[in-house]
Amino acid sequence: MYLERLAEAQDHAGAAIDSMARHRVAPNPQNFAIWYEYHSGQNSDLRRTIDIVISNHREFDEHTLHDLYEDFFTSTKEELALHGISVKVQDTLNEVLGLVDSARTDAATYGATLQDVSGQLVGDISPLAALIGRLLGEAHEMARRSERLGQRLKQSVQTIKTLGHTLDDVRREATTDGLTEIANRRAFDTILRETAAEAMNSGDDLAVLMIDIDHFKCFNDTWGHQTGDEVLRLVAATLQQNIRGQDTVARYGGEGFTVILPMTPIDAAVAVGNNIRRACERLQFVTRDTQQAVDTVTLSIGVACYEPGEALSNWVRRADAALYRAKQGGRNRVMFD
Ligand code: GH3
Ligand code: MG
C-alpha cells in the first residue's frame, strides 16, 4: 500500500517537473506545489483553471502562477477561525452523543433489571425489598444522568448558537469595509475569482470597473477628513443604488472602489460606469455640523472585460490602466480597455 502510494507520488512529481519545463515555469517550491496538485488530480477547480489557461494558449507568467498559488494554497485568517469553530462544534456534538449513548445504556440496563426482577417475582417474593431497592437505585441513576443529559443538551444548543453568531461575525468582519459597510478588498478578491471561474465555464461576459474619486486629497484638505469619510460613505451608497442584484460593489482601497458586473459586455459596463459617474456628480453634500454646502465630487472610471484564462491580476491591471487614462484625459469620465 505504502509502496503503491510512493510510486504514485513519484509519477505525479515526474509529470509535474515535465509540465513545468514544457510551460517554461520556474522550478520553485510554490510552482511545484501547483503542478504536483494538478497532476494528482485532487483539486478539480485547480485542474480546470490550469486547463483553461492551457487551452487559451496563455503563458504561465509570474502573475498567473502567483494567482494560482494564492487561490489554491494559502489559507487565510478567516479559514483558520472557521476551522477552530468547526472543531468546537464537533467537540460539543461528540460530548452530547457520548451522553446520549450512556443514557441509552442506562435505559437498557434498567430494562434488563426490570425483566430480571419480574422473573424473580414469580417465585419467591421475600427479596422484594432488595429488588425494589435495586430498581430505585437504577431509576435514580438514570434520572440523574437524564437530567445531566438534558442540561448538557441545553448548554450545547447555547454553545452552538454562540459559535454560529461568532461564525457570522468572523465572516462579516472579514469581508466588510468598516467605514462604508460595503464589501472590502478581500471579499472583492474572492468574488472576482468566483465570478471569473463562472464566466470561464459559461462563456458569459464579465466586466470590472475600477473607480477613483477625483482630487480627493484636495477635498480632504479643504473640508476635513471627517467630511471626506462621509463622502466615501455616500459614494459607496450611490454605487450600490446603481447596480443590479448579481453585481458587487467593493471598496478597493482608500478612495478607490470597484464594481464586478457578471454577464455584462463592455458597452453595457461603460453605460453602468457613466450612470454611476453622473449619479455621483449630482450628489449634494452638506457638512454635518454647519450644514454648509460642500463641493461635489467626481469619479474617474476604468472598465475591462475578462478574457478567459487571463490572470486575474492582469485583468484588474487593464481596468486600472483604463482608469489611469480617464485621469489623464481630464477626470470625471469613463474609459475602457
Ligand atoms: P486623483 O484625481 O488623481 O485621484 O487625485 P486624488 O487627490 O484623489 O489622489 P491621491 O492619490 O493623491 O490622494 C488620495 C486621497 O484620498 C488622499 C487621502 O487623504 C484620501 N483618502 C484615502 N483614504 C481615505 C479615507 O479613508 N478617508 C478620507 N477622508 N480620505 C481618504
Ligand atoms: Mg483619487
Side-chain angles (χ1 to χ4, degrees), residues 78 171-172 174-177 182-194 248-251 258 260:
E78 185 197 359
R171 280 212 181 109
R172 202 172 317 111
T175 55
T176 308
D177 170 55
I182 61 174
N184 63 11
R185 172 74 183 268
R186 264 205 60 206
F188 167 76
D189 287 342
T190 309
I191 296 168
L192 196 75
R193 191 163 62 230
E194 287 168 358
T248 303
V249 169
R251 186 172 176 206
T258 179
I260 302 172

Side-chain angles (χ1 to χ4, degrees), residues 14 64 79 87 93 103 109 117 141 143 152 158-159 181 191 214 243 257-258 263-264 270 275 278 304 323 328:
T64 306
E79 279 163 20
V87 167
L93 285 179
T109 316
V117 168
E141 179 60 14
R152 196 61 197 95
Q158 207 43 51
T159 308
E181 292 181 359
I191 296 168
D214 295 327
I243 55 159
F257 296 88
T258 179
M263 289 183 273
T264 310
V270 168
N275 285 342
R278 279 191 290 266
L323 166 61
Q328 296 291 299

Side-chain angles (χ1 to χ4, degrees), residues 80-322:
L80 292 175
L82 296 184
H83 178 69
I85 289 170
S86 78
V87 167
K88 278 193 199 138
V89 169
Q90 196 58 48
D91 285 351
T92 311
L93 285 179
N94 283 344
E95 193 187 334
V96 171
L97 285 175
L99 286 169
V100 168
D101 233 26
S102 64
R104 223 188 273 136
T105 317
D106 280 352
T109 316
Y110 187 58
T113 309
L114 274 180
Q115 267 189 355
D116 186 23
V117 168
S118 65
Q120 290 182 39
L121 282 176
V122 179
D124 185 7
I125 59 160
S126 56
L128 194 57
L131 290 175
I132 287 172
R134 202 175 131 201
L135 276 180
L136 264 179
E138 275 184 33
H140 275 311
E141 179 60 14
M142 211 166 90
R144 201 176 59 76
R145 291 223 208 183
S146 307
E147 202 187 311
R148 223 181 104 216
L149 173 64
Q151 278 172 357
R152 196 61 197 95
L153 275 173
K154 257 192 225 153
Q155 274 173 16
S156 56
V157 166
Q158 207 43 51
T159 308
I160 289 172
K161 266 192 196 159
T162 313
L163 286 172
H165 292 314
T166 313
L167 184 66
D168 289 345
D169 290 347
V170 168
R171 280 212 181 109
R172 202 172 317 111
E173 268 175 37
T175 55
T176 308
D177 170 55
L179 177 70
T180 58
E181 292 181 359
I182 61 174
N184 63 11
R185 172 74 183 268
R186 264 205 60 206
F188 167 76
D189 287 342
T190 309
I191 296 168
L192 196 75
R193 191 163 62 230
E194 287 168 358
T195 48
E198 277 163 28
M200 275 201 283
N201 277 335
S202 63
D204 287 335
D205 291 309
L206 173 63
V208 69
L209 312 186
M210 299 304 287
I211 303 171
D212 188 277
I213 303 180
D214 295 327
H215 299 306
F216 199 51
K217 186 172 178 323
C218 191
F219 184 95
N220 271 320
D221 291 347
T222 312
W223 301 102
H225 219 260
Q226 262 184 335
T227 308
D229 283 356
E230 287 299 320
V231 167
L232 288 174
R233 285 198 197 99
L234 256 164
V235 168
T238 307
L239 296 181
Q240 272 185 314
Q241 282 157 13
N242 282 279
I243 55 159
R244 293 167 303 171
Q246 80 245 35
D247 308 334
T248 303
V249 169
R251 186 172 176 206
Y252 192 73
E255 25 86 74
F257 296 88
T258 179
V259 181
I260 302 172
L261 301 167
M263 289 183 273
T264 310
I266 194 79
D267 49 345
V270 168
V272 172
N274 272 314
N275 285 342
I276 287 173
R277 191 183 58 75
R278 279 191 290 266
C280 204
E281 215 177 13
R282 283 196 299 268
L283 286 177
Q284 303 275 327
F285 303 113
V286 288
T287 53
R288 242 190 198 169
D289 39 3
T290 58
Q291 300 290 302
Q292 191 185 355
V294 168
D295 300 336
T296 54
V297 295
T298 56
L299 303 178
S300 294
I301 303 180
V303 190
C305 272
Y306 184 56
E307 287 175 12
E310 85 174 306
L312 298 185
S313 47
N314 193 60
W315 173 30
V316 171
R317 232 188 334 271
R318 287 193 294 112
D320 248 337

